[in-house]
Amino acid sequence: MKKKKINELTRVQNVLENDRLNVGKGFNELLANDLNKLFKDYFDFSGLPELKIDKENGVYRVVVSLNVSRVRAFNILPDEK
């Protein structure tokens, strides 16, 4: 019985450690604002991008959602300097 509880506690600890993002306060807001600035060059939309960040087995999965009303057209690429 004691071994079972230790295994359960270890499992819960592993889940908490793997699910936790080690970022400061405001990280999601800062990232959403940066993505907003980037996406404004390519799309017409309102609101901020929605973010979902998960961590599993030491790997992050980042999903960005954005409702776009129009894709901006580009005819040429800017000159690289």
Side-chain angles (χ1 to χ4, degrees):
M1 184 72 168
K2 208 175 199 182
K3 187 175 185 173
K4 183 179 178 183
K5 285 191 179 213
I6 291 172
N7 287 341
E8 288 176 8
L9 289 174
T10 302
R11 186 180 65 80
V12 168
Q13 181 179 357
N14 286 337
V15 167
L16 290 174
E17 287 175 357
N18 285 333
D19 285 346
R20 188 179 316 143
L21 294 177
N22 294 323
V23 294
K25 285 185 177 181
F27 175 82
N28 280 0
E29 185 178 346
L30 178 63
L31 181 56
N33 284 328
D34 286 346
L35 289 171
N36 185 56
K37 291 174 189 174
L38 173 69
F39 288 146
K40 286 286 184 190
D41 289 340
Y42 298 93
F43 306 104
D44 286 339
F45 60 93
S46 60
L48 288 175
E50 294 178 19
L51 301 172
K52 182 179 178 190
I53 304 172
D54 296 315
K55 183 179 178 184
E56 186 175 323
N57 299 323
V59 176
Y60 292 98
R61 177 182 172 89
V62 179
V63 178
V64 179
S65 297
L66 183 65
N67 292 324
V68 174
S69 59
R70 183 175 74 93
V71 177
R72 294 179 180 222
F74 290 98
N75 293 330
I76 59 170
L77 294 174
D79 291 333
E80 290 187 27
K81 293 183 180 185

